[in-house]
């Protein structure tokens, strides 16, 4: 039984579906839903010259386990920049988009057939230099002169492409015609079906895309390009239904999580439904739970502050400068700066205030047969203040004790612990984010005792709230 590969183009086509460009947070949320479905590949749109596109690709590449394919328009000549944006992915792939019909070659690339073959060879070789997996997508293949199409595919294969996509861009073929077309291509390019995988991308202009895809699969295609929501291509649900109904007869299966498809599609439809409101439906989605929002030393203050804002911080101009300087120092020493590091940078560099509360000492009792209790002694303006709290574990009890002392409960927006050094006497770093008055305040604490580090981080965040309230 062979596995039919379903390649998802939802993010690649998202701007057309939504009617406008997606925000950074929207792209991340969409790709996380797609990653849970376990499609074979998630395709990303071609990047522009902006740092925002490169940052989005870089973050997506670090975030998901699914294969990431970044599209490259052959006329753009930005292969190296595209590769740099996804090189950190677990399974990166470059997708070279190449027009092969006479009209589109001359209109888009201003080249005739011989010059086009030379450009294909050069571009595929450049992609192959950077990336092991290179896909050659023949745009408007069904309207190309077949002799030239065969030459173009053979040229791409000989130059290093290991995946080929035939695109019925105009959507002009009936299912039996498209099946025969795929067979002719496979016969003309011996490597297809053996070393090289063949995919199809079919426009649904005549409402026959799914039927054409099924005919292509019967003819030998290894994969189908789909979108999760309807956008003029076969949908993931349609192709999964095809496999459920006829998979056993055709010896086909899919590696996708079929049981989650309906719920995931519902989520994506809500995300991608065009809206008239200016405010995004993702305005309340935090990035704190995304482990690898990747920034590097080449990112400017605008990109860094954009991510800081999405993490929930509202910084003054002075604090923005302090955070960016601290960010540059860290970024100069390591390849990427992720969300957790950026959180710690904000906690340690921004809004440094006089300490209203000081931690004097603490006693924690905890075990698997007793309720955790904490006895905390703080000092404020020379006055010692003691509080006792209980909770679900020693840290929860310690935070409860502090709340009793200060007489206020703040919403815990985020809490992170990580090691700073190695070994039995490792230093632990704790980050606490509290929300008050619609703003987020962070505190950082370091100690060989992780409970002490957590307490110091909590109190540091409280001190910032108290300072601003006063």
């Amino acid at each position: 039984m062979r596995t039919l590969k379903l390649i998802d183009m939802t993010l690649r086509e998202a701007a057309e579906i939504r009617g406008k460009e997606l925000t950074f947070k929207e792209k991340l949320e969409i790709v996380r839903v797609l990653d849970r479905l376990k499609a074979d590949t998630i395709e990303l749109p071609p990047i522009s010259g902006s740092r925002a596109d490169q940052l989005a690709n870089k973050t997506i590449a670090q975030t998901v386990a699914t294969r990431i394919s970044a599209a490259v328009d052959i006329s753009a000549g930005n292969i190296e920049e595209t590769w740099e944006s996804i090189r950190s992915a677990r399974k990166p792939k470059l997708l070279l988009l190449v027009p092969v019909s006479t009209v589109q070659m001359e209109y888009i690339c201003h080249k005739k057939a011989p010059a086009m073959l030379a450009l294909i060879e050069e571009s595929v070789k450049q992609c192959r230099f950077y990336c092991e997996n290179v896909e050659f997508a023949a745009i408007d293949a069904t309207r190309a002169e077949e002799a030239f199409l065969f030459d173009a595919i053979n040229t791409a294969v000989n130059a290093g492409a290991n995946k080929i996509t035939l695109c019925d861009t105009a959507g002009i073929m009936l299912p039996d015609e498209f099946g025969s077309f795929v067979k002719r291509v496979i016969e003309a390019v011996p490597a297809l079906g053996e070393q090289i995988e063949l995919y199809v991308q079919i426009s649904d202009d005549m409402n026959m895309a799914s039927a054409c895809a099924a005919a292509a699969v019967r003819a030998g295609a290894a994969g189908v390009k789909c979108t999760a929501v309807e956008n003029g291509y076969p949908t993931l649900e349609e192709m999964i239904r095809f496999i459920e109904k006829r998979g056993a007869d055709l010896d086909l299966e899919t590696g996708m999580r079929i049981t989650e498809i309906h719920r995931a599609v519902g989520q994506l439809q809500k995300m991608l439904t065009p809206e008239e409101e200016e405010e995004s439906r993702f305005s309340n989605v935090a990035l704190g739970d995304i482990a690898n929002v990747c920034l590097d030393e080449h990112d400017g203050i605008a990109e860094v502050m954009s991510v800081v804002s999405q993490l929930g911080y509202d910084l003054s101009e002075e604090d923005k400068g302090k955070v960016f300087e601290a960010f540059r120092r860290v970024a100069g020493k390591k390849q990427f700066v992720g969300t957790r590091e950026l959180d710690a940078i904000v906690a340690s560099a921004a809004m440094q205030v006089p300490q209203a509360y000081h931690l004097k000492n603490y006693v924690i009792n905890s075990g698997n047969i007793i309720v955790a209790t904490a006895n905390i002694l703080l000092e404020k303006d020379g006055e010692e203040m003691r509080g006792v709290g209980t909770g679900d574990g020693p840290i929860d009890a310690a935070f409860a004790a502090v709340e009793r002392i200060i007489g206020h409960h703040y919403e815990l927006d985020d809490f992170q612990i990580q090691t700073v050094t190695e070994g039995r006497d490792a230093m632990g770093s704790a980050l606490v984010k509290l929300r008050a008055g619609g703003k987020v305040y962070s505190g950082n604490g370091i100690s060989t005792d992780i409970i002490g580090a957590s307490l110091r981080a909590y109190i540091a965040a409280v001190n910032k709230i108290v300072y601003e309230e006063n």
Side-chain angles (χ1 to χ4, degrees), residues 12-25:
R12 179 178 148 196
E13 298 289 320
E16 185 176 336
I17 299 171
R18 183 78 179 273
K20 63 179 181 180
E21 288 296 324
L22 300 177
T23 67
F24 185 57
K25 287 189 289 187

Side-chain angles (χ1 to χ4, degrees), residues 311-330:
L311 289 172
Y313 297 110
D314 182 13
L315 303 182
S316 66
E317 291 302 316
E318 180 182 359
D319 281 335
K320 287 179 182 179
K322 292 178 181 177
V323 168
F324 185 62
E325 285 303 313
F327 161 79
R328 292 188 64 183
R329 288 195 297 271
V330 174

Side-chain angles (χ1 to χ4, degrees), residues 291-313:
N292 288 300
V293 175
C294 295
L295 297 159
D296 60 35
E297 60 182 337
H298 301 295
D299 289 301
I301 191 169
E303 287 83 13
V304 175
M305 289 305 116
S306 174
V307 178
V308 168
S309 175
Q310 290 164 39
L311 289 172
Y313 297 110

